Amino acid sequence: LVYEENSILHGIINGGKEALLDCVDLLDERYFDQLKNKIIYSAIKEIFNDGDEITIPKIVSKSKDLGIDCVDGLLDTIHSAEAASKEDIRTLAKKLQKRIIIKEAVNLHKKSIDKLLQMSAQESVADIFAASESAIFELITKFCSREDEITELKSVVRDYVNNAAENPSDNVGIPTPWNKFNESIG
């Protein structure tokens, strides 16, 4: 997995802003296992946010601003992995994202199991289920604020408008399941 992290970062360094834009919606510093890679990615994002071009000297300088010299780590990253292509960067970023979700799921479920093992059987059934459900809801809250797939609004709206045009309705408001009642109340 270190190779994949290095490959992503090498690809971003080679591809610059365009390469970063292709994966920034998927990646977060916490998705990198290696501390050096977390720092390099943080530096790259800050350089981008400053509106500068992503270059090796700027990454080294920004990492020093962040409190850590990443020269050796940056050289290792570049020399230890082939630069990922634009398409591969996004694929590998999704893999890193899923890997962190799996790790977090395991940790949250372990906590739930600990809670369940501490129960005395005096708890309500709802409390027992809640101990398990809380792990799932916490995981959803942490990782599902962004969609895995982007839905284009124009396609959804176009389908809705076409459906409404093909199936006109005289009902105003929300109809009931009883047609005769709907006709009588308009």
Side-chain angles (χ1 to χ4, degrees), residues 103-118:
K103 283 182 179 180
E104 188 69 23
V106 168
N107 290 334
L108 290 171
H109 281 85
K110 284 179 181 177
K111 288 179 187 176
S112 294
I113 290 169
D114 290 343
K115 284 181 190 176
L116 288 167
L117 292 173
Q118 293 174 5

Side-chain angles (χ1 to χ4, degrees), residues 10 13 20 28 31 43-46 49 52 56 71 76 80 83 87 99 101 113 124 134 143-144 153 160 182:
H10 193 179
I13 292 166
L20 179 62
D28 191 277
Y31 296 179
I44 288 170
K45 276 182 40 180
E46 285 201 20
N49 290 338
D52 293 334
I56 292 173
V71 173
D76 289 345
S80 67
E87 296 80 24
R99 188 180 73 213
I101 291 171
I113 290 169
S124 69
S134 64
F143 293 101
C144 290
L153 189 57
Y160 177 79
N182 290 338

Side-chain angles (χ1 to χ4, degrees), residues 8 30 32 35-36 46-47 50 55 59 62 70-71 84-85 89 96 113-114 134 142 162 175:
I8 289 170
R30 65 189 165 132
F32 292 91
L35 178 61
K36 68 177 175 93
E46 285 201 20
I47 292 166
D50 292 343
T55 64
I59 295 170
K62 188 59 78 172
C70 76
V71 173
S85 68
I89 289 173
L96 289 184
I113 290 169
D114 290 343
S134 64
K142 279 185 174 182
N162 289 341

Side-chain angles (χ1 to χ4, degrees), residues 69 105 158 171:
D69 186 351
R158 185 174 292 128
N171 287 334

Side-chain angles (χ1 to χ4, degrees), residues 7 20 31 41 46 77 80 118 121 128 133 137:
S7 186
L20 179 62
Y31 296 179
Y41 186 70
E46 285 201 20
T77 296
S80 67
Q118 293 174 5
I128 295 169
E133 288 176 338
F137 290 128

